[in-house]
């Protein structure tokens, strides 16, 4: 079976004024369904660019990229938006929730762009919020939620469309260690449910929860190893507020 | 949208712009309908034919000083021109009129019953004189309402009473309905009307071959009747190449000139309103640009979760249109209040037109579209990666 994500010699070159920045210099990578992959590397290694390419936010300047059997490197802007909407889910470091908008409405947003009717949006968003354990906080706005809760709302938003892949860019960067573990436990659970998780991080201890660690350096793959993921067990104590 | 005060300040331009349109149009329309009503009370499709002028020693005497219109001319106008509905001669002079215990100097007009048709003038009391009164030259009189008030006191019924004009007793047969002032400020009701023949025999005296007054004509259409009457009179007066020895005043033309000037004023107001709407629109564009910049990350997020360019465009466009339309609606309320305030202050007549209000709403929305389009387009064309990275 073809891998869910297949990159073949992908390169990306930016032009900033007169300077050419070669962010990716030929990366080939295959990720299977249900894998939990951590992409690591120092800043400037090209890990964010790789993430943007995998996330269909950016198109490679060279090489080919298949996502779920479809070659996406040649698609138009709107087609890519459709893929991001249906096949991918995004989780950001700073959550990127709409302020003054309830958790439920935030989670409904991707369904709005998918063109679903109001009732169906409500029902699906409810299910997604319950799945991340926020069934009782649906009407709260982001400012009424803790950082961990906000990130869980963001994960519910990424999940709500039933995506094949969740892309998380430093998802624990703004969280304390305790809530970080909670979020990582959630990602591990998603992986067991058959959703592929691709995580970008520079924290080595976050990467231990992944089943595979890919390290980038200067736009090239430096290492790619599989490991036994550490179980994300929330230390006993009070539930984070 | 998020900041109520900012949204309100943004729409102020629209509020004043639309408010100005609504108020000025209401006042302009009020004035126009007042003028129209005044002209309608003079009679519709009305022509006034005046005799020519005398010229002595280079000084020209003005319209009506040279008797050129004959009774045969009047007969010909009546019988030969299908475009003329009514035509009557009106002779007038100032004279004192006396009742038993009062006197009043007013205008005595000698005319025919059709005069009241032309002027569309119903009687308040009694019955006006008839063609048989004209044929027989009876001494009967129709009093204008002002004259009736002066001679018999307000609310009295003078029908059947006698009044004296030039020492000749006339029986009052009717009081004409109150017509008010002409568009030029003359009191229509300050006059008395007697049969034409009686006027010529008892009041006028002197040369009788020419009409020493004017001919009032109602045309089927004023323009058509004017052309026909001019051609007929020129032919009858044998004026091959020369100037007209009569003049025709087309009151429809006067009315349309009035309308023309009010249109000019309206146009000016429309320009002012247009400029303020433009300023309002620029205000909206400005705030929308600020909003797009402020919400760059939000736009990036929306794009990441699947919003297409069109979705973002519509979002900001709807926001701009909502702002503009809201401004327009508030502006309408503001304009209506202003116009009402003007009315209570200066007693100006105002007229609110539903179509103007509707057009204002549509136009405000249009301003939102026009001035919201650029910021919305800017938002929709953002690069999602850069938008997400935006601090």
């Amino acid at each position: 079976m073809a891998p869910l994500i297949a990159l073949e010699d992908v390169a990306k070159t930016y032009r900033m004024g007169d300077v050419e920045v070669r962010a990716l210099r030929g990366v080939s990578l295959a990720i299977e369904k249900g894998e939990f992959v951590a992409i690591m590397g120092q800043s400037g290694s090209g890990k964010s660019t790789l993430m943007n390419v995998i996330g269909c936010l950016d198109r490679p300047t060279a090489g080919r990229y298949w996502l779920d059997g479809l070659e996406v490197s040649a698609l138009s802007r709107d087609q890519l938006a459709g893929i991001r909407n249906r096949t991918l889910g995004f989780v950001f470091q700073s959550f990127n929730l709409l302020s003054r908008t309830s958790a439920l409405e935030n989670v409904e947003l991707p369904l709005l762009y998918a063109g679903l009717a109001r009732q169906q949006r409500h029902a699906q968003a409810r299910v997604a919020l319950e799945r991340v354990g926020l069934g009782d906080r649906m009407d709260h706005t982001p400012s009424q939620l803790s950082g961990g809760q906000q990130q869980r709302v963001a994960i519910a938003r990424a999940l709500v469309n039933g995506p094949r892949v969740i892309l998380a860019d430093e998802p624990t960067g703004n969280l304390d260690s305790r809530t970080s573990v909670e979020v990582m436990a959630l990602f591990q659970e998603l992986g067991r449910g058959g959703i592929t998780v691709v995580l970008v991080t520079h924290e080595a201890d976050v990467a231990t929860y992944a089943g595979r660690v890919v390290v980038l350096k200067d736009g090239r793959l430096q290492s790619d190893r599989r490991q036994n993921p550490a179980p994300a067990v929330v230390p006993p104590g009070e539930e984070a507020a | 949208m998020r900041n109520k005060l900012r949204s309100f300040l943004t729409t102020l331009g629209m509020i004043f712009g639309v408010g100005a349109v609504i108020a000025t149009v209401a006042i302009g329309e009020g004035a126009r309908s007042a003028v129209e009503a005044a002209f309608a009370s003079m009679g519709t499709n009305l022509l006034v034919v005046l005799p020519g002028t005398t010229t002595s020693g280079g000084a020209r005497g003005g319209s009506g000083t040279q008797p050129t219109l004959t009774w045969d001319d009047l007969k010909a106008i009546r019988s030969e021109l299908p475009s003329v509905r009514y035509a009557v001669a009106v002779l007038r002079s100032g004279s004192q009129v006396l009742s038993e215990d009062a006197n009043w100097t007013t205008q005595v007009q000698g005319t025919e019953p059709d005069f009241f048709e032309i002027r569309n003038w119903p009687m308040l009391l009694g019955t006006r004189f008839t063609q048989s009164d004209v044929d027989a030259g009876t001494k009967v009189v129709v009093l204008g309402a002002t004259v009736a008030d002066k001679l018999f006191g307000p609310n009295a019924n003078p029908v059947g009473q006698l009044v004296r004009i030039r020492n000749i007793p006339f029986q009052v047969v009717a009081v004409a309905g109150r017509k008010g002032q002409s568009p030029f400020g003359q009191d229509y009701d300050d006059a008395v009307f007697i049969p034409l023949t009686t006027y010529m025999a008892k009041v006028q005296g002197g040369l009788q071959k020419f009409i020493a007054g004017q001919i009032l004509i109602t045309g089927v259409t004023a323009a058509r009747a004017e052309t026909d009457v001019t051609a007929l009179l020129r032919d009858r007066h044998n004026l091959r190449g020369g100037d007209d020895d009569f003049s025709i005043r087309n009151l429809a033309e006067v009315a349309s000139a009035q309308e023309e000037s009010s249109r000019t004023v309206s146009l000016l107001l429309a320009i002012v309103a247009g400029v303020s709407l433009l300023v309002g629109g620029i205000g909206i564009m400005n705030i929308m640009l600020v909003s797009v910049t402020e919400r760059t990350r939000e736009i990036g997020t929306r794009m990441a979760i699947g919003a297409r360019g069109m979705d973002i465009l519509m979002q900001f466009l709807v926001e701009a249109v909502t702002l503009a339309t809201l401004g327009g609606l508030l502006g309408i309320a503001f304009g209506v209040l202003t116009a009402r305030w003007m009315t209570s202050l200066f007693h100006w007549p105002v007229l609110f037109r539903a179509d103007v209000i509707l057009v204002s709403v549509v136009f405000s929305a249009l301003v939102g579209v026009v001035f919201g389009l650029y910021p919305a387009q800017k938002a929709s064309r953002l690069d999602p990666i850069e938008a997400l990275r935006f601090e």
Side-chain angles (χ1 to χ4, degrees), chain A residues 98-175:
Chain A
L98 303 191
S99 55
R100 291 174 223 220
T101 307
S102 72
L104 191 70
E105 285 169 308
N106 264 294
V107 175
E108 276 182 37
L109 212 53
L111 303 175
L112 183 77
Y113 293 127
L116 261 63
R118 191 184 160 78
Q119 281 193 324
Q120 210 175 345
R121 295 206 302 264
H122 270 335
Q124 267 180 251
R126 249 169 228 287
V127 171
L129 276 169
E130 274 159 12
R131 192 168 168 189
V132 298
L134 284 176
D136 54 341
R137 299 273 157 88
M138 295 198 192
D139 298 326
H140 289 50
T141 60
S143 58
Q144 295 167 320
L145 296 169
S146 71
Q149 287 169 336
Q150 289 187 48
Q151 194 60 301
R152 280 192 281 163
V153 172
I155 292 168
R157 181 177 66 187
L159 280 175
V160 74
N161 258 2
R164 310 296 308 271
V165 182
I166 290 214
L167 295 158
D169 190 356
E170 304 275 11
T172 58
N174 285 4
L175 299 177

Side-chain angles (χ1 to χ4, degrees), chain A residues 4 10 20 25 31 49 53 58 61 82 86 88-90 113 115 133-134 136 145 174 198-199 203 218 224 229:
Chain A
L4 186 62
V10 164
E20 264 195 1
R25 310 178 182 215
I31 297 172
T49 306
V53 169
D58 210 349
T61 34
R86 289 187 305 273
L88 301 172
F90 285 87
Y113 293 127
L134 284 176
D136 54 341
L145 296 169
N174 285 4
V198 178
L199 175 104
E203 292 174 68
D218 298 331
D224 180 359

Side-chain angles (χ1 to χ4, degrees), chain B residues 73-145:
Chain B
D73 287 339
L74 178 58
K75 271 186 207 138
I77 290 171
R78 271 186 194 147
S79 58
E80 288 175 28
L81 300 178
S83 59
V84 170
R85 191 173 286 157
Y86 302 111
V88 296
V90 181
L91 312 181
R92 54 180 74 167
S93 61
S95 177
Q96 200 183 42
V97 182
L98 296 100
S99 67
E100 200 105 315
D101 39 33
N103 70 84
W104 184 249
T105 300
T106 184
Q107 202 173 50
V108 178
Q109 303 196 7
T111 188
E112 292 162 279
D114 278 351
F115 171 81
F116 298 101
E117 300 296 332
I118 290 174
R119 302 295 298 276
N120 187 24
W121 201 342
M123 294 300 114
L124 181 67
L125 297 166
T127 319
R128 71 191 190 207
F129 56 79
T130 61
Q131 192 59 43
S132 60
D133 288 314
V134 175
D135 293 343
T138 52
K139 287 174 271 183
V140 290
V141 62
V142 172
L143 300 182

Side-chain angles (χ1 to χ4, degrees), chain A residues 64-123:
Chain A
R64 309 218 284 173
Y65 169 30
W66 288 270
L67 176 62
D68 200 12
L70 184 71
E71 186 175 357
V72 293
S73 34
L75 296 182
S76 73
R77 249 179 97 113
D78 280 357
Q79 284 171 316
L80 289 179
I83 295 217
R84 290 198 296 271
N85 187 243
R86 289 187 305 273
T87 314
L88 301 172
F90 285 87
V91 178
F92 304 96
Q93 178 174 0
S94 44
F95 324 134
N96 290 19
L97 299 174
L98 303 191
S99 55
R100 291 174 223 220
T101 307
S102 72
L104 191 70
E105 285 169 308
N106 264 294
V107 175
E108 276 182 37
L109 212 53
L111 303 175
L112 183 77
Y113 293 127
L116 261 63
R118 191 184 160 78
Q119 281 193 324
Q120 210 175 345
R121 295 206 302 264
H122 270 335

Side-chain angles (χ1 to χ4, degrees), chain B residues 162-282:
Chain B
L162 289 182
V163 295
R164 293 174 161 274
I165 301 167
R166 303 225 167 155
N167 227 11
I168 299 160
F170 282 77
Q171 191 181 23
V172 177
V173 290
V175 176
R178 210 171 276 281
K179 243 187 182 324
Q181 290 190 344
S182 76
F184 316 105
Q186 172 204 346
D187 182 4
Y188 285 127
D189 302 316
D190 190 2
V192 301
F193 309 92
I194 60 177
L196 181 69
T197 45
T198 316
Y199 182 94
M200 288 167 70
K202 307 292 182 188
V203 180
Q204 184 186 20
L207 189 67
Q208 304 271 323
K209 185 190 169 197
F210 295 100
I211 298 174
Q214 57 193 28
I215 298 174
L216 291 188
I217 293 173
T218 296
V220 177
T221 67
R224 186 63 213 268
E226 185 179 2
T227 320
D228 288 354
V229 170
T230 306
L232 180 82
L233 290 178
R234 285 188 65 84
D235 184 49
R236 290 181 57 83
H237 296 183
N238 290 318
L239 309 168
R240 266 178 219 102
D243 291 338
D244 290 348
D245 61 355
F246 57 91
S247 62
I248 297 183
R249 287 192 195 150
N250 183 342
L251 290 180
E253 264 171 24
V254 178
S256 74
Q258 280 273 11
E259 238 171 76
E260 185 70 33
S261 74
S262 81
R263 247 202 299 280
T264 310
V265 172
S266 297
L267 183 71
L268 261 159
L269 294 176
I271 291 171
V272 170
V275 168
S276 51
L277 279 179
L278 185 78
V279 172
I282 290 170

